[in-house]
């Protein structure tokens, strides 16, 4: 994790005066923290638990990626592409794991092999690596099954963190104590309740400003907010829009936000049903007041969307959405044979989505649609969307969550063979745009392809982007240095401090 990263958070840390934590207010070097999402897979590096370890400052990767598609040194000080399907990475000298063991190319190769050979490989690396092997103590080769210009970006994913081989138990599970190389080492694991961390004095970026941190996993948003207000916590993440007012009214608290590469859209079944008709897709787009959604439902916390990629993505085209035209929408629906029954799905896992769906449904109803809302947990509603059972869905997607490059997202979500194509969209021109990307390594050239693809999706109305989202965290004034990371990878870094 890099020094001097700015000011965001996606995991978070809080100081607790009680609630099961040891220590007290006189322990000035200890931060007591609560993060929203607990480990769900026994800390498996092939799971989303890998991202939690990265956010807590426990692990490092060979390279670090930015939202603009750039990469910079991590544990590897340099890398080069030696053939179309082979990359050579050289580790920085003197690196050690929290256990004290030296970081070797063998450990790095084993870490990559472990996740790509897992029964369910992580999305970022699935099918991307043919083999990883150590040449000597400091050099490893990574071979790909086909030319891949963005392998370094893929290896910036949390799942590719370099872990100590000795941290794996005989059954293959990971003990995070001593396993990583980041600024903080795990000293105690309390199941899904929390972890204890202390500063790793041998970190490559220098010792962290914090001496210790007690991290708890608190999924309930109200519990996090109430804990901050009561003084139990110093810092909380994922503040709901509905509770911003009470936090901002407290002069001792601060609420910060960062734009995310995450967009909530009204995804439309373009293959069958009413929205297979482009006239009705255009009518729906004209009916929705996207600026009104941000101002009203989100209380100004977000950006109205005209494209899928928004302000958090450096190369995005900054088009303002067209103002709504309810009368034109009504005329189009009438011409298609109003009324038009539609079923819209959404899920309550993200608290703002049901409210957004209700307002969108009201606007569509005024245009002549007859909407019915189906609300289920994300894991239940996704199969219904993907099967084509629903006509539309209000759904939130992070475009760069796995790899800081848009190709995998565009392929999975919009190509004819995409595995998460919520819009059931298929256009040969779109697929042709993406077809040449494996040979394109220049970030600027890739960005131009991504912009053109986003424009094509807008022209075809492959779904209706509604709002670009923000991440909000709240902290006490005593907390500083919380990183601003639109990729939501960094949280507890060397720069976080507690006065």
């Amino acid at each position: 994790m890099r020094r001097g990263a700015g000011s965001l958070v996606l995991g978070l840390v809080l100081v607790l005066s009680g609630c099961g934590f040891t220590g007290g207010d006189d322990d000035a070097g200890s931060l007591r923290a609560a993060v929203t999402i607990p480990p769900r897979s026994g800390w498996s590096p092939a799971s989303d638990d890998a991202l939690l370890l990265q956010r807590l400052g426990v692990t490092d990767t060979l390279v670090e990626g930015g939202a603009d598609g750039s990469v910079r040194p991590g544990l590897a000080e340099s890398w080069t592409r030696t053939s179309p399907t082979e990359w050579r990475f050289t580790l920085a000298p003197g690196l050690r794991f929290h256990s004290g063991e030296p970081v070797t190319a063998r450990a790095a190769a084993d870490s990559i092999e472990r996740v790509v050979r897992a029964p369910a490989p992580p999305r970022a690396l699935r099918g991307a690596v043919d083999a990883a092997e150590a040449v000597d103590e400091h050099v490893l080769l990574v071979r790909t099954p086909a030319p891949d210009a963005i392998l370094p970006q893929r290896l910036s994913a949390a799942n590719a963190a370099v872990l100590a081989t000795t941290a794996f138990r005989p059954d293959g599970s990971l003990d995070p104590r001593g396993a990583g190389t980041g600024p903080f080492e795990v000293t105690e694991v309390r199941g899904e309740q929390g972890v204890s961390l202390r500063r790793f004095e041998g970190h490559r970026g220098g010792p962290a400003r914090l001496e210790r941190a007690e991290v708890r996993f608190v999924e309930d948003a109200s519990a996090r907010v109430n804990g901050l207000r009561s003084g139990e916590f110093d810092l909380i993440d994922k503040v709901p829009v509905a509770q911003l007012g009470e936090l901002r009214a407290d002069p001792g608290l601060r609420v910060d936000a960062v734009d995310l590469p995450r967009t909530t859209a009204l995804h439309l079944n373009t293959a069958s049903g009413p929205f297979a008709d482009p006239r009705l897709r255009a009518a729906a787009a004209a009916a929705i007041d996207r600026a009104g959604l941000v101002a009203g439902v989100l209380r100004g916390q977000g950006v109205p969307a005209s494209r899928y990629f928004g302000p958090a993505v450096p190369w995005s085209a900054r088009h303002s959405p067209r103002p709504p035209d309810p009368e034109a929408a009504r005329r189009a629906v009438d011409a298609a044979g109003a009324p038009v029954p539609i079923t819209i799905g959404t899920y309550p896992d993200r608290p703002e989505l049901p409210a957004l769906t209700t307002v969108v449904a009201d606007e569509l109803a005024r245009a002549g649609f007859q909407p019915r809302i189906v609300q289920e947990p994300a894991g239940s509603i996704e199969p219904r969307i993907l099967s084509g059972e629903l006509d539309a869905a209000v759904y939130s997607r992070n475009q760069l969550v796995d790899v800081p490059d848009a190709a995998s997202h565009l392929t999975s979500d919009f190509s004819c063979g995409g595995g998460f194509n919520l819009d059931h969209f298929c256009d040969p021109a779109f697929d042709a745009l993406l077809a040449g990307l494996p040979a394109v390594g220049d970030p600027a050239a890739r960005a131009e392809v991504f912009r053109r693809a986003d424009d094509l999706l807008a022209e075809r109305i492959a779904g209706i982007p509604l709002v670009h989202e923000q991440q909000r965290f709240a902290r006490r004034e005593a907390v500083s240095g919380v990183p601003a990371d639109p990729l939501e990878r960094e949280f507890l870094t060397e720069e976080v401090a507690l006065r």
Side-chain angles (χ1 to χ4, degrees):
M1 297 208 175
R2 66 185 184 276
R3 275 186 171 273
S7 62
L8 152 64
V9 117
L10 354 127
L12 98 186
V13 180
L14 312 135
V15 168
L16 285 163
S17 57
C19 223
F21 287 130
T22 59
D25 291 342
D26 59 338
D27 191 1
S30 182
L31 185 67
R32 312 295 158 94
V35 298
T36 303
I37 301 174
R40 303 188 190 278
S41 301
W43 303 105
S44 168
S47 73
D48 289 342
D49 292 358
L51 181 58
L52 177 57
L53 284 176
Q54 187 180 58
R55 289 172 174 172
L56 296 182
V58 176
T59 59
D60 289 319
T61 49
L62 289 172
V63 298
E64 298 178 357
D68 60 354
S70 64
V71 286
R72 58 188 178 275
L75 297 178
E77 64 179 4
S78 63
W79 54 92
T80 184
R81 191 177 188 178
T82 56
S83 80
T85 58
E86 186 175 272
W87 292 78
R88 181 184 181 99
F89 294 83
T90 302
L91 297 176
L95 299 174
R96 291 196 173 272
F97 290 107
H98 297 153
S99 63
E101 303 169 67
V103 177
T104 65
R106 174 64 182 273
D110 286 349
S111 297
I112 295 169
E113 285 281 336
R114 189 177 293 109
V115 294
V116 300
R117 309 299 175 209
R123 294 176 297 267
L125 296 172
R126 190 176 300 150
V129 174
D130 197 29
E133 62 183 52
V135 175
D136 57 33
E137 284 293 295
H138 294 96
V139 176
L140 68 148
L141 295 181
V142 181
R143 296 185 179 89
T144 60
D148 186 354
I150 62 162
L151 180 70
Q153 286 89 331
R154 297 187 195 282
L155 294 180
S156 75
N159 306 100
V162 178
L163 301 170
T165 303
T166 56
F168 287 87
R169 303 182 180 95
D171 64 0
S173 63
L174 176 69
D175 182 350
R177 293 171 296 182
T181 57
F184 295 96
E185 57 182 306
V186 177
T187 59
E188 183 182 0
V189 179
R190 296 182 295 279
E192 295 186 4
Q193 301 304 308
V195 295
S196 298
L197 306 173
R198 72 181 171 207
R199 179 168 62 199
F200 176 44
E201 300 295 342
H203 183 243
R204 62 188 173 86
R209 297 176 68 184
L210 286 174
E211 296 177 12
R212 288 170 298 282
E214 293 289 337
V215 180
R216 292 190 58 162
F217 307 123
V218 183
E219 296 185 79
D220 183 80
S222 294
R224 296 195 304 275
V225 170
N226 292 337
L228 181 68
R229 295 184 67 201
S230 70
E232 181 182 19
F233 302 151
D234 289 312
L235 174 69
I236 64 171
D237 72 345
K238 301 186 187 302
V239 178
V241 169
Q243 294 175 291
L244 285 174
E246 57 192 275
L247 293 176
R248 286 176 170 158
D250 189 324
L253 302 178
R254 296 290 180 268
V255 179
D256 298 307
V258 64
D259 290 320
L260 298 178
R262 175 180 283 278
T263 300
T264 294
L266 178 65
H267 292 279
L268 306 175
N269 183 349
T270 64
S272 63
F275 292 120
D277 185 340
R279 297 174 300 171
L280 290 178
R281 300 203 298 272
I288 298 171
D289 182 358
R290 287 170 256 195
L293 292 175
V294 172
V297 178
L298 300 184
R299 306 184 189 187
Q301 302 300 302
V303 178
S306 68
R307 300 288 194 276
Y308 278 102
F309 295 99
V313 182
W315 46 258
S316 65
R318 308 297 173 85
H319 298 285
S320 298
R322 292 180 180 178
D325 192 342
E327 293 182 3
R330 182 77 197 206
R331 289 194 299 270
V333 175
D334 287 343
V340 178
I342 57 172
T343 301
I344 306 174
T346 194
Y347 55 102
D349 307 49
R350 302 185 71 84
E352 288 80 26
L353 294 189
L356 286 169
T357 304
T358 298
V359 174
V360 167
D362 288 345
E363 292 176 332
L364 293 176
R366 287 194 291 272
F369 293 94
Q370 288 185 332
R372 179 176 72 93
I373 296 175
V374 176
Q375 180 176 302
E376 297 177 6
S380 300
I381 205 72
E382 285 172 5
R384 300 184 66 181
I385 305 168
L386 293 169
S387 70
E389 178 185 344
L390 303 179
D391 299 307
V394 174
Y395 201 98
S396 172
R397 288 286 280 162
N398 188 318
Q399 299 114 352
L400 305 180
V401 65
D402 297 316
V403 180
D405 181 90
S408 60
H409 171 76
L410 290 170
T411 300
S412 69
D413 284 34
F414 299 105
S415 72
C416 294
F420 204 79
N421 193 332
L422 299 176
D423 298 278
H424 301 266
F425 179 73
C426 181
D427 188 317
F430 182 86
D431 282 13
L433 266 180
L434 303 184
L437 281 173
V440 180
D442 177 56
R446 295 180 70 84
E448 179 58 30
V449 174
F450 300 152
R451 276 192 293 268
R452 290 167 57 196
D454 206 12
D455 285 344
L456 189 151
L457 294 173
E459 293 165 8
R460 303 289 196 272
I461 316 181
I464 303 170
L466 301 175
V467 298
H468 302 301
E469 298 180 38
Q470 295 178 329
Q471 176 63 280
R472 295 169 298 277
F473 66 98
R475 57 186 170 82
R476 308 196 73 78
E477 285 188 308
V479 177
S480 63
V482 179
D485 178 17
L487 295 181
E488 301 187 271
R489 294 179 171 187
E490 293 189 335
F491 160 52
L492 191 54
T493 70
E494 308 97 300
E495 297 299 324
V496 177
L498 175 66
R499 293 195 302 272

